[in-house]
mmCIF file of all heavy atoms in Angstrom:
data_model
loop_
_atom_site.group_PDB
_atom_site.id
_atom_site.type_symbol
_atom_site.label_atom_id
_atom_site.label_comp_id
_atom_site.label_asym_id
_atom_site.label_seq_id
_atom_site.Cartn_x
_atom_site.Cartn_y
_atom_site.Cartn_z
ATOM 1 N N SER O 1 -38.949 -31.658 10.944
ATOM 2 C CA SER O 1 -39.134 -30.677 11.999
ATOM 3 C C SER O 1 -39.940 -29.494 11.520
ATOM 4 O O SER O 1 -40.603 -28.817 12.299
ATOM 5 C CB SER O 1 -37.781 -30.189 12.529
ATOM 6 O OG SER O 1 -37.060 -29.522 11.511
ATOM 7 N N ALA O 2 -39.908 -29.196 10.221
ATOM 8 C CA ALA O 2 -40.666 -28.075 9.689
ATOM 9 C C ALA O 2 -42.162 -28.298 9.833
ATOM 10 O O ALA O 2 -42.942 -27.367 9.908
ATOM 11 C CB ALA O 2 -40.308 -27.852 8.217
ATOM 12 N N SER O 3 -42.576 -29.573 9.833
ATOM 13 C CA SER O 3 -43.996 -29.880 9.971
ATOM 14 C C SER O 3 -44.386 -30.147 11.417
ATOM 15 O O SER O 3 -45.486 -30.591 11.698
ATOM 16 C CB SER O 3 -44.337 -31.110 9.110
ATOM 17 O OG SER O 3 -43.579 -32.231 9.538
ATOM 18 N N ALA O 4 -43.474 -29.898 12.353
ATOM 19 C CA ALA O 4 -43.757 -30.134 13.763
ATOM 20 C C ALA O 4 -44.872 -29.214 14.230
ATOM 21 O O ALA O 4 -45.069 -28.123 13.702
ATOM 22 C CB ALA O 4 -42.497 -29.908 14.594
ATOM 23 N N THR O 5 -45.592 -29.662 15.229
ATOM 24 C CA THR O 5 -46.698 -28.872 15.760
ATOM 25 C C THR O 5 -46.500 -28.664 17.250
ATOM 26 O O THR O 5 -45.669 -29.297 17.885
ATOM 27 C CB THR O 5 -48.045 -29.592 15.519
ATOM 28 O OG1 THR O 5 -47.999 -30.885 16.155
ATOM 29 C CG2 THR O 5 -48.306 -29.760 14.038
ATOM 30 N N GLY O 6 -47.299 -27.749 17.801
ATOM 31 C CA GLY O 6 -47.257 -27.501 19.227
ATOM 32 C C GLY O 6 -45.925 -26.946 19.669
ATOM 33 O O GLY O 6 -45.251 -26.198 18.951
ATOM 34 N N PHE O 7 -45.520 -27.341 20.881
ATOM 35 C CA PHE O 7 -44.291 -26.817 21.468
ATOM 36 C C PHE O 7 -43.065 -27.205 20.646
ATOM 37 O O PHE O 7 -42.098 -26.435 20.556
ATOM 38 C CB PHE O 7 -44.148 -27.328 22.900
ATOM 39 C CG PHE O 7 -42.892 -26.868 23.582
ATOM 40 C CD1 PHE O 7 -42.759 -25.556 24.022
ATOM 41 C CD2 PHE O 7 -41.831 -27.743 23.768
ATOM 42 C CE1 PHE O 7 -41.593 -25.124 24.644
ATOM 43 C CE2 PHE O 7 -40.669 -27.322 24.392
ATOM 44 C CZ PHE O 7 -40.556 -26.010 24.832
ATOM 45 N N ALA O 8 -43.090 -28.392 20.029
ATOM 46 C CA ALA O 8 -41.943 -28.851 19.240
ATOM 47 C C ALA O 8 -41.646 -27.895 18.087
ATOM 48 O O ALA O 8 -40.484 -27.717 17.696
ATOM 49 C CB ALA O 8 -42.210 -30.255 18.697
ATOM 50 N N ARG O 9 -42.678 -27.245 17.568
ATOM 51 C CA ARG O 9 -42.489 -26.315 16.460
ATOM 52 C C ARG O 9 -41.620 -25.129 16.872
ATOM 53 O O ARG O 9 -40.815 -24.622 16.095
ATOM 54 C CB ARG O 9 -43.851 -25.819 15.978
ATOM 55 C CG ARG O 9 -43.781 -24.832 14.826
ATOM 56 C CD ARG O 9 -45.123 -24.237 14.543
ATOM 57 N NE ARG O 9 -45.010 -23.205 13.525
ATOM 58 C CZ ARG O 9 -45.821 -22.159 13.447
ATOM 59 N NH1 ARG O 9 -46.791 -22.010 14.339
ATOM 60 N NH2 ARG O 9 -45.683 -21.259 12.491
ATOM 61 N N TYR O 10 -41.792 -24.692 18.127
ATOM 62 C CA TYR O 10 -41.021 -23.547 18.612
ATOM 63 C C TYR O 10 -39.681 -23.988 19.198
ATOM 64 O O TYR O 10 -38.704 -23.246 19.131
ATOM 65 C CB TYR O 10 -41.833 -22.792 19.662
ATOM 66 C CG TYR O 10 -43.166 -22.310 19.144
ATOM 67 C CD1 TYR O 10 -44.357 -22.915 19.548
ATOM 68 C CD2 TYR O 10 -43.235 -21.267 18.228
ATOM 69 C CE1 TYR O 10 -45.568 -22.493 19.058
ATOM 70 C CE2 TYR O 10 -44.454 -20.840 17.737
ATOM 71 C CZ TYR O 10 -45.621 -21.445 18.148
ATOM 72 O OH TYR O 10 -46.821 -21.028 17.652
ATOM 73 N N TRP O 11 -39.626 -25.182 19.767
ATOM 74 C CA TRP O 11 -38.405 -25.676 20.396
ATOM 75 C C TRP O 11 -37.272 -25.802 19.396
ATOM 76 O O TRP O 11 -36.102 -25.623 19.736
ATOM 77 C CB TRP O 11 -38.676 -27.006 21.075
ATOM 78 C CG TRP O 11 -37.470 -27.602 21.763
ATOM 79 C CD1 TRP O 11 -36.781 -28.722 21.412
ATOM 80 C CD2 TRP O 11 -36.810 -27.085 22.922
ATOM 81 N NE1 TRP O 11 -35.735 -28.945 22.266
ATOM 82 C CE2 TRP O 11 -35.734 -27.956 23.216
ATOM 83 C CE3 TRP O 11 -37.026 -25.985 23.751
ATOM 84 C CZ2 TRP O 11 -34.878 -27.743 24.293
ATOM 85 C CZ3 TRP O 11 -36.174 -25.778 24.822
ATOM 86 C CH2 TRP O 11 -35.122 -26.653 25.084
ATOM 87 N N GLN O 12 -37.590 -26.085 18.136
ATOM 88 C CA GLN O 12 -36.551 -26.251 17.132
ATOM 89 C C GLN O 12 -35.834 -24.932 16.819
ATOM 90 O O GLN O 12 -34.751 -24.932 16.221
ATOM 91 C CB GLN O 12 -37.144 -26.833 15.850
ATOM 92 C CG GLN O 12 -38.179 -25.927 15.183
ATOM 93 C CD GLN O 12 -38.866 -26.619 14.022
ATOM 94 O OE1 GLN O 12 -38.365 -27.605 13.497
ATOM 95 N NE2 GLN O 12 -40.021 -26.096 13.624
ATOM 96 N N TYR O 13 -36.406 -23.825 17.261
ATOM 97 C CA TYR O 13 -35.788 -22.514 17.048
ATOM 98 C C TYR O 13 -35.110 -21.990 18.318
ATOM 99 O O TYR O 13 -34.857 -20.787 18.434
ATOM 100 C CB TYR O 13 -36.837 -21.499 16.586
ATOM 101 C CG TYR O 13 -37.413 -21.778 15.225
ATOM 102 C CD1 TYR O 13 -38.627 -22.451 15.099
ATOM 103 C CD2 TYR O 13 -36.753 -21.375 14.067
ATOM 104 C CE1 TYR O 13 -39.168 -22.712 13.852
ATOM 105 C CE2 TYR O 13 -37.285 -21.636 12.811
ATOM 106 C CZ TYR O 13 -38.496 -22.307 12.711
ATOM 107 O OH TYR O 13 -39.034 -22.560 11.464
ATOM 108 N N ARG O 14 -34.815 -22.885 19.254
ATOM 109 C CA ARG O 14 -34.261 -22.449 20.537
ATOM 110 C C ARG O 14 -32.918 -21.739 20.376
ATOM 111 O O ARG O 14 -32.608 -20.808 21.134
ATOM 112 C CB ARG O 14 -34.125 -23.649 21.486
ATOM 113 C CG ARG O 14 -33.217 -24.769 20.967
ATOM 114 C CD ARG O 14 -33.357 -26.016 21.816
ATOM 115 N NE ARG O 14 -32.526 -27.119 21.334
ATOM 116 C CZ ARG O 14 -32.880 -27.934 20.343
ATOM 117 N NH1 ARG O 14 -34.029 -27.749 19.722
ATOM 118 N NH2 ARG O 14 -32.095 -28.926 19.971
ATOM 119 N N ASP O 15 -32.104 -22.164 19.400
ATOM 120 C CA ASP O 15 -30.817 -21.511 19.181
ATOM 121 C C ASP O 15 -31.013 -20.073 18.704
ATOM 122 O O ASP O 15 -30.242 -19.176 19.080
ATOM 123 C CB ASP O 15 -29.981 -22.281 18.163
ATOM 124 C CG ASP O 15 -29.441 -23.590 18.735
ATOM 125 O OD1 ASP O 15 -29.385 -23.695 19.975
ATOM 126 O OD2 ASP O 15 -29.097 -24.486 17.955
ATOM 127 N N LEU O 16 -32.019 -19.857 17.910
ATOM 128 C CA LEU O 16 -32.318 -18.512 17.438
ATOM 129 C C LEU O 16 -32.696 -17.612 18.605
ATOM 130 O O LEU O 16 -32.205 -16.479 18.720
ATOM 131 C CB LEU O 16 -33.456 -18.555 16.414
ATOM 132 C CG LEU O 16 -34.013 -17.193 15.969
ATOM 133 C CD1 LEU O 16 -32.930 -16.388 15.257
ATOM 134 C CD2 LEU O 16 -35.235 -17.378 15.076
ATOM 135 N N VAL O 17 -33.558 -18.109 19.475
ATOM 136 C CA VAL O 17 -33.973 -17.323 20.642
ATOM 137 C C VAL O 17 -32.776 -17.027 21.533
ATOM 138 O O VAL O 17 -32.599 -15.896 22.007
ATOM 139 C CB VAL O 17 -35.070 -18.075 21.430
ATOM 140 C CG1 VAL O 17 -35.389 -17.342 22.733
ATOM 141 C CG2 VAL O 17 -36.324 -18.225 20.588
ATOM 142 N N ARG O 18 -31.936 -18.041 21.776
ATOM 143 C CA ARG O 18 -30.759 -17.848 22.615
ATOM 144 C C ARG O 18 -29.820 -16.804 22.022
ATOM 145 O O ARG O 18 -29.286 -15.945 22.740
ATOM 146 C CB ARG O 18 -30.034 -19.175 22.811
ATOM 147 C CG ARG O 18 -28.818 -19.067 23.724
ATOM 148 C CD ARG O 18 -28.242 -20.416 24.085
ATOM 149 N NE ARG O 18 -27.806 -21.166 22.923
ATOM 150 C CZ ARG O 18 -28.394 -22.264 22.471
ATOM 151 N NH1 ARG O 18 -29.462 -22.753 23.101
ATOM 152 N NH2 ARG O 18 -27.934 -22.894 21.407
ATOM 153 N N ASN O 19 -29.640 -16.832 20.709
ATOM 154 C CA ASN O 19 -28.762 -15.864 20.061
ATOM 155 C C ASN O 19 -29.347 -14.456 20.091
ATOM 156 O O ASN O 19 -28.597 -13.482 20.214
ATOM 157 C CB ASN O 19 -28.491 -16.287 18.616
ATOM 158 C CG ASN O 19 -27.589 -17.504 18.518
ATOM 159 O OD1 ASN O 19 -26.772 -17.747 19.403
ATOM 160 N ND2 ASN O 19 -27.746 -18.279 17.459
ATOM 161 N N LEU O 20 -30.656 -14.352 19.959
ATOM 162 C CA LEU O 20 -31.300 -13.040 20.034
ATOM 163 C C LEU O 20 -31.110 -12.417 21.415
ATOM 164 O O LEU O 20 -30.805 -11.221 21.538
ATOM 165 C CB LEU O 20 -32.795 -13.165 19.717
ATOM 166 C CG LEU O 20 -33.170 -13.422 18.262
ATOM 167 C CD1 LEU O 20 -34.669 -13.707 18.142
ATOM 168 C CD2 LEU O 20 -32.797 -12.224 17.388
ATOM 169 N N VAL O 21 -31.295 -13.229 22.452
ATOM 170 C CA VAL O 21 -31.122 -12.740 23.818
ATOM 171 C C VAL O 21 -29.665 -12.363 24.071
ATOM 172 O O VAL O 21 -29.370 -11.294 24.636
ATOM 173 C CB VAL O 21 -31.587 -13.797 24.841
ATOM 174 C CG1 VAL O 21 -31.272 -13.346 26.262
ATOM 175 C CG2 VAL O 21 -33.081 -14.064 24.691
ATOM 176 N N ALA O 22 -28.738 -13.212 23.645
ATOM 177 C CA ALA O 22 -27.312 -12.941 23.841
ATOM 178 C C ALA O 22 -26.892 -11.676 23.102
ATOM 179 O O ALA O 22 -26.105 -10.870 23.621
ATOM 180 C CB ALA O 22 -26.481 -14.128 23.369
ATOM 181 N N LYS O 23 -27.422 -11.478 21.887
ATOM 182 C CA LYS O 23 -27.090 -10.280 21.112
ATOM 183 C C LYS O 23 -27.556 -9.019 21.828
ATOM 184 O O LYS O 23 -26.821 -8.031 21.929
ATOM 185 C CB LYS O 23 -27.736 -10.359 19.730
ATOM 186 C CG LYS O 23 -27.528 -9.103 18.876
ATOM 187 C CD LYS O 23 -28.259 -9.218 17.575
ATOM 188 C CE LYS O 23 -29.769 -9.166 17.763
ATOM 189 N NZ LYS O 23 -30.227 -7.829 18.237
ATOM 190 N N ASP O 24 -28.787 -9.053 22.347
ATOM 191 C CA ASP O 24 -29.317 -7.882 23.057
ATOM 192 C C ASP O 24 -28.496 -7.572 24.307
ATOM 193 O O ASP O 24 -28.271 -6.406 24.645
ATOM 194 C CB ASP O 24 -30.782 -8.110 23.428
ATOM 195 C CG ASP O 24 -31.705 -8.044 22.220
ATOM 196 O OD1 ASP O 24 -31.281 -7.475 21.201
ATOM 197 O OD2 ASP O 24 -32.840 -8.553 22.313
ATOM 198 N N LEU O 25 -28.074 -8.609 25.015
ATOM 199 C CA LEU O 25 -27.269 -8.412 26.215
ATOM 200 C C LEU O 25 -25.921 -7.772 25.876
ATOM 201 O O LEU O 25 -25.459 -6.857 26.567
ATOM 202 C CB LEU O 25 -27.042 -9.745 26.933
ATOM 203 C CG LEU O 25 -28.258 -10.353 27.648
ATOM 204 C CD1 LEU O 25 -27.931 -11.758 28.131
ATOM 205 C CD2 LEU O 25 -28.683 -9.478 28.817
ATOM 206 N N LYS O 26 -25.293 -8.244 24.794
ATOM 207 C CA LYS O 26 -23.993 -7.699 24.394
ATOM 208 C C LYS O 26 -24.121 -6.253 23.933
ATOM 209 O O LYS O 26 -23.300 -5.399 24.279
ATOM 210 C CB LYS O 26 -23.390 -8.559 23.282
ATOM 211 C CG LYS O 26 -22.968 -9.942 23.733
ATOM 212 C CD LYS O 26 -22.428 -10.756 22.565
ATOM 213 C CE LYS O 26 -22.044 -12.162 22.998
ATOM 214 N NZ LYS O 26 -21.589 -12.982 21.849
ATOM 215 N N VAL O 27 -25.166 -5.967 23.141
ATOM 216 C CA VAL O 27 -25.358 -4.615 22.613
ATOM 217 C C VAL O 27 -25.656 -3.635 23.736
ATOM 218 O O VAL O 27 -25.137 -2.514 23.765
ATOM 219 C CB VAL O 27 -26.494 -4.596 21.572
ATOM 220 C CG1 VAL O 27 -26.874 -3.172 21.211
ATOM 221 C CG2 VAL O 27 -26.083 -5.361 20.330
ATOM 222 N N ARG O 28 -26.478 -4.050 24.685
ATOM 223 C CA ARG O 28 -26.911 -3.139 25.742
ATOM 224 C C ARG O 28 -25.760 -2.727 26.658
ATOM 225 O O ARG O 28 -25.684 -1.576 27.092
ATOM 226 C CB ARG O 28 -28.012 -3.796 26.570
ATOM 227 C CG ARG O 28 -28.535 -2.903 27.686
ATOM 228 C CD ARG O 28 -29.901 -3.314 28.113
ATOM 229 N NE ARG O 28 -30.432 -2.426 29.136
ATOM 230 C CZ ARG O 28 -31.707 -2.413 29.509
ATOM 231 N NH1 ARG O 28 -32.571 -3.204 28.929
ATOM 232 N NH2 ARG O 28 -32.120 -1.602 30.442
ATOM 233 N N TYR O 29 -24.874 -3.653 26.976
ATOM 234 C CA TYR O 29 -23.822 -3.363 27.942
ATOM 235 C C TYR O 29 -22.422 -3.381 27.330
ATOM 236 O O TYR O 29 -21.438 -3.511 28.045
ATOM 237 C CB TYR O 29 -23.900 -4.352 29.107
ATOM 238 C CG TYR O 29 -25.194 -4.225 29.864
ATOM 239 C CD1 TYR O 29 -26.155 -5.227 29.800
ATOM 240 C CD2 TYR O 29 -25.473 -3.086 30.618
ATOM 241 C CE1 TYR O 29 -27.360 -5.109 30.486
ATOM 242 C CE2 TYR O 29 -26.666 -2.946 31.298
ATOM 243 C CZ TYR O 29 -27.603 -3.962 31.225
ATOM 244 O OH TYR O 29 -28.789 -3.826 31.896
ATOM 245 N N GLN O 30 -22.358 -3.255 26.014
ATOM 246 C CA GLN O 30 -21.053 -3.239 25.355
ATOM 247 C C GLN O 30 -20.265 -1.996 25.780
ATOM 248 O O GLN O 30 -20.728 -0.863 25.651
ATOM 249 C CB GLN O 30 -21.237 -3.236 23.838
ATOM 250 C CG GLN O 30 -19.952 -3.415 23.068
ATOM 251 C CD GLN O 30 -20.208 -3.583 21.585
ATOM 252 O OE1 GLN O 30 -21.277 -3.243 21.097
ATOM 253 N NE2 GLN O 30 -19.240 -4.114 20.856
ATOM 254 N N GLY O 31 -19.091 -2.218 26.317
ATOM 255 C CA GLY O 31 -18.255 -1.112 26.751
ATOM 256 C C GLY O 31 -18.568 -0.582 28.132
ATOM 257 O O GLY O 31 -17.871 0.306 28.629
ATOM 258 N N ALA O 32 -19.600 -1.095 28.777
ATOM 259 C CA ALA O 32 -19.960 -0.642 30.125
ATOM 260 C C ALA O 32 -19.126 -1.395 31.152
ATOM 261 O O ALA O 32 -19.107 -2.631 31.157
ATOM 262 C CB ALA O 32 -21.447 -0.864 30.390
ATOM 263 N N ALA O 33 -18.460 -0.672 32.022
ATOM 264 C CA ALA O 33 -17.556 -1.299 32.992
ATOM 265 C C ALA O 33 -18.305 -2.174 33.981
ATOM 266 O O ALA O 33 -17.818 -3.234 34.377
ATOM 267 C CB ALA O 33 -16.768 -0.216 33.732
ATOM 268 N N LEU O 34 -19.513 -1.749 34.375
ATOM 269 C CA LEU O 34 -20.261 -2.495 35.388
ATOM 270 C C LEU O 34 -21.197 -3.544 34.788
ATOM 271 O O LEU O 34 -21.763 -4.346 35.507
ATOM 272 C CB LEU O 34 -21.070 -1.523 36.263
ATOM 273 C CG LEU O 34 -20.232 -0.531 37.064
ATOM 274 C CD1 LEU O 34 -21.138 0.377 37.892
ATOM 275 C CD2 LEU O 34 -19.241 -1.259 37.974
ATOM 276 N N GLY O 35 -21.385 -3.526 33.484
ATOM 277 C CA GLY O 35 -22.177 -4.558 32.825
ATOM 278 C C GLY O 35 -23.560 -4.747 33.416
ATOM 279 O O GLY O 35 -24.362 -3.817 33.499
ATOM 280 N N PHE O 36 -23.835 -6.002 33.843
ATOM 281 C CA PHE O 36 -25.144 -6.373 34.384
ATOM 282 C C PHE O 36 -25.588 -5.491 35.545
ATOM 283 O O PHE O 36 -26.774 -5.284 35.758
ATOM 284 C CB PHE O 36 -25.122 -7.823 34.870
ATOM 285 C CG PHE O 36 -25.561 -8.811 33.830
ATOM 286 C CD1 PHE O 36 -24.691 -9.811 33.410
ATOM 287 C CD2 PHE O 36 -26.829 -8.750 33.284
ATOM 288 C CE1 PHE O 36 -25.089 -10.721 32.454
ATOM 289 C CE2 PHE O 36 -27.233 -9.663 32.332
ATOM 290 C CZ PHE O 36 -26.353 -10.649 31.913
ATOM 291 N N LEU O 37 -24.646 -4.980 36.303
ATOM 292 C CA LEU O 37 -24.994 -4.213 37.495
ATOM 293 C C LEU O 37 -25.793 -2.959 37.161
ATOM 294 O O LEU O 37 -26.532 -2.451 38.007
ATOM 295 C CB LEU O 37 -23.725 -3.838 38.269
ATOM 296 C CG LEU O 37 -22.953 -5.009 38.883
ATOM 297 C CD1 LEU O 37 -21.720 -4.503 39.610
ATOM 298 C CD2 LEU O 37 -23.852 -5.793 39.852
ATOM 299 N N TRP O 38 -25.683 -2.469 35.919
ATOM 300 C CA TRP O 38 -26.463 -1.300 35.540
ATOM 301 C C TRP O 38 -27.952 -1.621 35.499
ATOM 302 O O TRP O 38 -28.789 -0.701 35.566
ATOM 303 C CB TRP O 38 -26.019 -0.779 34.175
ATOM 304 C CG TRP O 38 -24.746 0.016 34.239
ATOM 305 C CD1 TRP O 38 -23.551 -0.300 33.664
ATOM 306 C CD2 TRP O 38 -24.545 1.263 34.916
ATOM 307 N NE1 TRP O 38 -22.609 0.666 33.945
ATOM 308 C CE2 TRP O 38 -23.201 1.643 34.719
ATOM 309 C CE3 TRP O 38 -25.375 2.088 35.686
ATOM 310 C CZ2 TRP O 38 -22.669 2.814 35.240
ATOM 311 C CZ3 TRP O 38 -24.839 3.258 36.214
ATOM 312 C CH2 TRP O 38 -23.508 3.615 35.997
#
């Protein structure tokens, strides 16, 4: 997979992208009562 090219090269890091997005969501609204609604 390390030698993958094109879209496959980035697809193998999908868990990293998902975790980055989830981390930002948690940090941004941590402790906020209304969460996403803000």
